[in-house]
């Protein structure tokens, strides 16, 4: 059953009884545009409170489309403004391939947004590529964990993340945490992923402890192929091992921002 845009969903409670907020948009383009506007507002609000904003980016088609729409908004002078010189950018995962490889989430984000809005180089915290001097992905993951800890308050392992963006695969993976893989149970903030079931096989990913440390987690999902996993994550009681998307939640809010096709197997709130 396809839900109309704006319909509320009877989502199961997330961690500590938190009920996710589910927003359904009519199509992928409207989803990208509305998420972009919401992201600009959220970053501006964070800067109003803290002076800076911190965002964790995702890759994939919808994630890149959101960044392109954010870049469009930055060119419109009447829009709410973000001081991009005071935004720290992190990543949820990236592919352990050479820096210029088209598979890199970092490369896509730079093209879509970061270069256009001139985020300072020292505020762009990319996960290392395979040609950055790390012999093994485990070494690169440990380095990234150290970078996170260095940006954190004294005694903490992670900085404040105002909003963390995630895509989701048809089997329910988020970042590079796939069902039934060692990353599901790894308690480190950053993990190396080998033999990934989706190419490229070697990656670096934030682990659940880091993903779930964000103030807000936004899951961006588009397309009918992902509808079964959306329904299972929101209403089916799946475990994180079976469906990693079911194991992510923000400290203050968890938002599922999806299109009608991705919502097609959800029930209306009765």
């Amino acid at each position: 059953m396809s839900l109309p845009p704006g319909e509320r969903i009877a989502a199961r409670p997330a961690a500590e009884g938190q009920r996710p907020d589910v927003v359904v948009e009519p199509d992928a383009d409207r989803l990208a545009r509305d998420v972009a506007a919401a992201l600009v507002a959220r970053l501006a609000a964070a800067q109003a409170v803290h002076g800076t904003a911190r965002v964790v980016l995702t890759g994939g088609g919808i994630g890149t489309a959101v960044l392109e729409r954010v870049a469009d908004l930055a060119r419109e002078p009447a829009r709410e403004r973000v001081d991009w010189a005071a935004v720290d950018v992190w990543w949820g995962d990236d592919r352990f391939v050479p820096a210029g490889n088209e598979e890199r989430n970092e490369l896509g984000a730079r093209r879509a947004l970061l270069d256009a809005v001139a985020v300072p180089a020292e505020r762009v915290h990319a996960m290392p590529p395979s040609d950055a001097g790390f012999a093994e992905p485990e070494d690169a993951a440990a380095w990234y964990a150290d970078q996170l800890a260095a940006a954190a308050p004294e005694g903490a392992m992670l900085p404040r993340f105002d909003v963390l963006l995630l895509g989701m695969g048809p089997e329910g993976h988020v970042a590079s945490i796939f069902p039934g893989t060692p990353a599901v149970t790894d308690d480190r903030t950053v993990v190396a992923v080998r033999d990934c079931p989706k190419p490229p096989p070697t990656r670096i990913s934030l682990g659940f402890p880091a993903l779930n440390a964000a103030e807000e987690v936004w899951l961006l999902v588009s397309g009918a192929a992902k509808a079964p996993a959306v329904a299972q994550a929101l209403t089916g009681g799946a475990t994180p091992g079976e469906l990693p998307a079911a194991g992510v939640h923000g400290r203050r809010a968890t938002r599922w921002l999806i299109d009608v096709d991705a919502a097609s197997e959800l029930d209306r709130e009765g």
Side-chain angles (χ1 to χ4, degrees):
M1 172 172 57
S2 182
L3 287 160
E7 183 98 15
R8 291 192 62 80
I9 309 300
R12 66 178 179 82
E16 300 180 357
Q18 180 194 94
R19 187 174 294 276
D21 179 30
V22 183
V23 178
V24 182
E25 299 289 0
D27 53 45
D29 182 67
R30 177 65 177 272
L31 175 63
R33 287 192 286 118
D34 285 1
V35 171
L39 182 59
V40 167
R42 182 67 184 88
L43 296 180
Q47 289 182 337
V49 174
H50 303 289
T52 61
R54 294 170 180 166
V55 61
V56 181
L57 300 184
T58 185
I62 192 66
T64 302
V66 167
L67 299 187
E68 291 171 346
R69 303 306 187 276
V70 172
D72 291 341
L73 293 177
R75 301 183 187 101
E76 298 181 16
R79 291 283 185 169
E80 189 166 16
R81 307 302 293 176
V82 171
D83 178 4
W84 292 102
V87 176
D88 282 289
V89 179
W90 302 85
W91 270 265
D93 75 319
D94 215 331
R95 287 69 184 267
F96 195 62
V97 294
N101 191 297
E102 292 293 328
E103 297 279 3
R104 289 277 296 173
N105 289 337
E106 176 201 357
L107 186 61
R110 288 186 181 277
R111 289 174 175 170
L113 175 64
L114 303 183
D115 291 345
V117 297
V119 177
E122 65 271 17
R123 291 189 177 273
V124 178
H125 308 280
M127 290 181 166
S130 62
D131 55 355
F134 296 96
E136 303 292 344
E138 289 79 8
D139 299 328
W143 178 87
Y144 204 68
D146 287 344
Q147 298 303 299
L148 288 166
E154 186 175 355
M157 295 298 294
L158 295 162
R160 183 192 79 253
F161 296 144
D162 296 300
V163 59
L164 182 146
L165 306 177
L166 288 173
M168 185 193 73
E171 75 299 282
H173 86 265
V174 289
S176 284
I177 303 177
F178 285 77
T181 63
V184 169
T185 55
D186 199 311
D187 62 1
R188 289 174 292 182
T189 56
V190 188
V191 299
V193 178
R194 293 179 180 267
D195 301 320
C196 181
K198 179 181 177 181
T202 308
R203 304 177 178 209
I204 302 168
S205 179
L206 297 187
F208 278 130
L211 297 177
N212 292 338
E215 295 297 299
E216 298 186 15
V217 171
W218 297 6
L219 292 110
L220 320 177
V221 190
S222 174
K226 300 178 182 181
V230 168
Q232 188 179 5
L234 287 172
T235 63
T239 68
E242 298 165 335
L243 196 85
V248 291
H249 53 83
R251 291 166 57 88
R252 296 189 178 182
T254 306
R255 306 184 69 194
W256 284 75
L257 307 170
I258 63 182
D259 66 8
V260 165
D261 288 341
S264 61
E265 295 195 17
L266 289 169
D267 293 328
R268 289 184 176 92
E269 190 171 34

